[in-house]
Amino acid sequence: MYSESTEEMDNEGSFEPEIQLKLSLGLKPEDADEILELATNCQCLTQDKMSMLEQSVWEEAYNDDEPYSVFIKARAVNGDEEPLAGFACYGGIPGEEGCFELYLLAVDEEFREIGIGSAVIDEVSRQVAAAGGDTIFCEVSENRNHDAARNFFESLGYVRQTRHYRFFIPEKGNAVYARKIS
């Protein structure tokens, strides 16, 4: 488990903790519905993508074997309450040593713009590096409705790829971004 505070500047120019964030790896059966609800509320997922996410959630939550995908959950700690603020799902790209794909990043609308997405992506990067990875790929829609998502990933050092990779072909209307990690 990893804990982090997001901070916000007050009117006097000093920083005050805004929210205590608890990051954790993996899913338990009791997390499944909450993850799927957040994904439904936050994302413009196609029916196929939602079905794939649902399959990954159930496999991770109920399977004791090595998971195909890894989930990192972000919970906002507020006394005894710890609502799900966001999550990421990622995994290795089969046959491509050191390459991982970020399948999905979702942050609850109530918790956006305060650093939760960045904290979750930082944790994904730490976990990928610990697993021997050196590159994280993600796919983002080129639709104007996703300008904020593209800007977000670019602000974190993801670079739009101008060439196609045989192991990572985007869906029509999407762009591939990649980030080298150390």
Side-chain angles (χ1 to χ4, degrees), residues 125-155:
S125 297
R126 280 191 283 278
Q127 295 295 326
V128 165
D134 59 20
T135 307
I136 302 172
F137 290 88
C138 67
E139 190 173 341
V140 182
S141 172
E142 292 182 300
N143 183 305
R144 291 180 63 188
N145 295 338
H146 291 87
D147 287 348
R150 288 190 305 279
N151 292 337
F152 170 76
F153 283 110
E154 289 172 3
S155 76

Side-chain angles (χ1 to χ4, degrees), residues 102 105 115-125 136 138 148-159 177-181:
L102 175 66
L105 171 67
I116 290 175
S118 298
V120 173
I121 293 295
D122 286 348
E123 185 61 19
V124 168
S125 297
I136 302 172
C138 67
R150 288 190 305 279
N151 292 337
F152 170 76
F153 283 110
E154 289 172 3
S155 76
L156 296 176
Y158 282 79
V159 177
Y177 284 78
R179 177 180 174 198
K180 292 283 188 189
I181 55 174

Side-chain angles (χ1 to χ4, degrees), residues 2-18:
Y2 170 81
S3 182
E4 179 169 310
S5 289
T6 62
E7 297 180 338
E8 188 172 279
M9 190 179 297
D10 66 14
N11 292 338
E12 285 124 29
S14 63
F15 286 93
E16 293 182 15
E18 172 85 2

Side-chain angles (χ1 to χ4, degrees), residues 28-180:
K28 298 178 196 153
E30 57 269 20
D31 297 325
D33 287 335
E34 199 174 20
I35 291 284
L36 293 172
E37 182 179 344
L38 179 58
T40 300
N41 293 340
C42 291
Q43 301 297 315
C44 298
L45 297 178
T46 64
Q47 184 109 12
D48 288 344
K49 294 264 187 196
M50 191 65 192
S51 293
M52 290 186 326
L53 175 65
E54 197 169 86
Q55 180 179 348
S56 294
V57 166
W58 295 119
E59 284 177 4
E60 169 75 11
Y62 287 98
N63 194 347
D64 291 333
D65 297 334
E66 185 69 28
Y68 174 74
S69 51
V70 179
F71 285 83
I72 296 176
K73 301 180 306 272
R75 294 198 174 273
V77 179
N78 184 11
D80 292 339
E81 293 183 18
E82 294 185 2
L84 183 65
F87 73 91
C89 178
Y90 71 95
I93 297 176
E96 297 300 324
E97 189 173 325
C99 294
F100 285 74
E101 179 179 356
L102 175 66
Y103 304 126
L104 180 63
L105 171 67
V107 176
D108 188 298
E109 201 168 317
E110 176 184 347
F111 296 104
R112 290 186 187 164
E113 307 274 334
I114 58 172
I116 290 175
S118 298
V120 173
I121 293 295
D122 286 348
E123 185 61 19
V124 168
S125 297
R126 280 191 283 278
Q127 295 295 326
V128 165
D134 59 20
T135 307
I136 302 172
F137 290 88
C138 67
E139 190 173 341
V140 182
S141 172
E142 292 182 300
N143 183 305
R144 291 180 63 188
N145 295 338
H146 291 87
D147 287 348
R150 288 190 305 279
N151 292 337
F152 170 76
F153 283 110
E154 289 172 3
S155 76
L156 296 176
Y158 282 79
V159 177
R160 184 181 176 142
Q161 302 301 289
T162 56
R163 62 173 271 228
H164 288 282
Y165 297 86
R166 65 177 168 71
F167 60 87
F168 201 99
I169 300 171
E171 289 183 10
K172 185 176 180 174
N174 289 353
V176 174
Y177 284 78
R179 177 180 174 198
K180 292 283 188 189

